[in-house]
Structure formats: C-alpha cells, structure tokens
Amino acid sequence: MKVAIFGIGLIGGSTAIDLRAANFCSEIIGVGRTQKNNELALHLGLVDKIATKEEAIAQADLIVLTVPVNNLIEELKYVLDYIQPHQVVTDMGSTKGGIIDAIKNHPNRQQYVASHPMAGTENSGPSAAIPNLFNGKVCIICDKENSNIAAVKLVEEMYNVLGMRLKYMEAHKHDVHAAYISHISHISSFVLAATVLEKEKDEEAILEMAGGGFESTVRLAKSSPEMWAPIFQQNKNSLLEVMDTYIEKMYHFRNLINKNKTEELLAFMKEANEIRKILK
C-alpha cells in the first residue's frame, strides 16, 4: 500500500515517521507546499519521494491531507474529483463542519473520512516532526456513517497504528467541543503573551523571572499564526460564544479581586479545581 501525505510539516511528518516505523505501507509520497519543505522532508527521510498532486493521487491508495484548514476544502475537492473507487482520503484538520458541508454532495463523498487527531506541539515545519506524537491521544472521526465501510476501516487502522484512541462525533458538535478544549487555549496563550510583551519591555527580566507556570501557559503562543488564524476564522461561530463566556468569567474574577471578596474568590478557584477530576 502507498500513502500520500499532502503537507509534510509537524503533523504530516510525524504521521510519516510512525507509519514507516510500523511498516504500515510500502511507500510514503510527500506533497509539500514549498520546495524548501520538500527538500527538507526528503533529507530527513520523512518521505520516500516528492510528487505533484496529480502524481500522488494517481499512485496512492490512501491520501492524507494535513494542509492548513484554509486550503483544506480546495485540496479535498481536488482529490475527490480525481480519485478512483479503490482510493481513500482523510484529513487531519482542526475544524470539520464547514469542510464536510462543502463536499457533502460530491459523488465521491463516501471515499472521504473526516478526522481530527488531537495532538501537536507549538513547533511547525518538517524539522518539527517527531515520533509518537499521536500515541495515547484521542482522534475524532466525524460523520462516519457518510463514508463507506472500507474507507472508515482503513483510516481506523492508520490511527490504531499511530496509537490513538478513537472517538466518533457529529462534525458541528466536534467544532463546538474543539473551541472549548483546544482553540480557546491557543487564544488565551496568544493574548497573554501579547499582554506581557506590551507591558514588560525588558526581555531579560521576562527570561529571568519566568517560571514553569508562565512558560507552560504561553507555550502555545509559539504556535504557527499561519496555521491558527484560519482555524479561528473557520470555527468563528463556536469560538465567539466560548470567548464571550471566557471574557465574562475573567471580568467576574477581576471584580472579586477588586472588591476584596476573598471568600468568593476562594470558592471560584475551588470550583475551577474540579477540572482535576477530568484531567488526571
């Protein structure tokens, strides 16, 4: 079996590393966005060869799209237009509702399996690819009833090889949940980093005083803006609702401090501590 990966950065490259290690396929074909990425992916041994989109579609049994979400719909439509009945395509994008809506009437819709492996780091590009990035993490497969059984089975096999735990969800519900547990975390990190940089002009002081808590909180602010800006736009409706709630909670927290309501502040934080029961 041959696998083509469109986008060979952190996600695509890490996928390639683990699929190769598990002998999941006989060949991995890379389709990068730039010549630099293509050359680096080859040099690092992430892929066996680089091909054009047309060549990759003609040769691959499984096509994995890991391109930024603002390019996903166009790429997916292109692949679906040209794949043969035996081929399967999946994507690893962080949003799902808009993508599925855009191709729901395509004659080859059943050969597509919508998926979101919830794993990553703040780094990007082929050199950021690492083994075991996905191991033990959750992968969401959306609207699997609209994909043919063989296609779903192949994609499930791939994620099992990557060591992921599979969950199933309706696409638009996925986007709401992703806004709460993933997207708002990145926004909070970007905003906190921007706030600190605006108020604290002494970079050396930041480095000297930054403890583990600060570093872990702003780590996500090092993520690729080119990747995350389109995600925020595509999931705008769900995300705005989450942000409104977040801002409301922040104002409440501010008022408790401002009005010296120590007992209420303590109760608020104890209530927040309940997250320990979920994130052990």
Side-chain angles (χ1 to χ4, degrees), residues 14 43 59 69 183 274:
S14 298
H43 174 72
Q59 297 172 33
V69 295
H183 302 170
E274 294 297 304

Side-chain angles (χ1 to χ4, degrees), residues 50-70:
I50 296 295
T52 65
K53 289 190 288 187
E54 295 80 7
E55 292 169 340
I57 294 170
Q59 297 172 33
D61 300 291
L62 173 62
I63 299 165
V64 182
L65 305 179
T66 68
V67 298
V69 295
N70 56 320

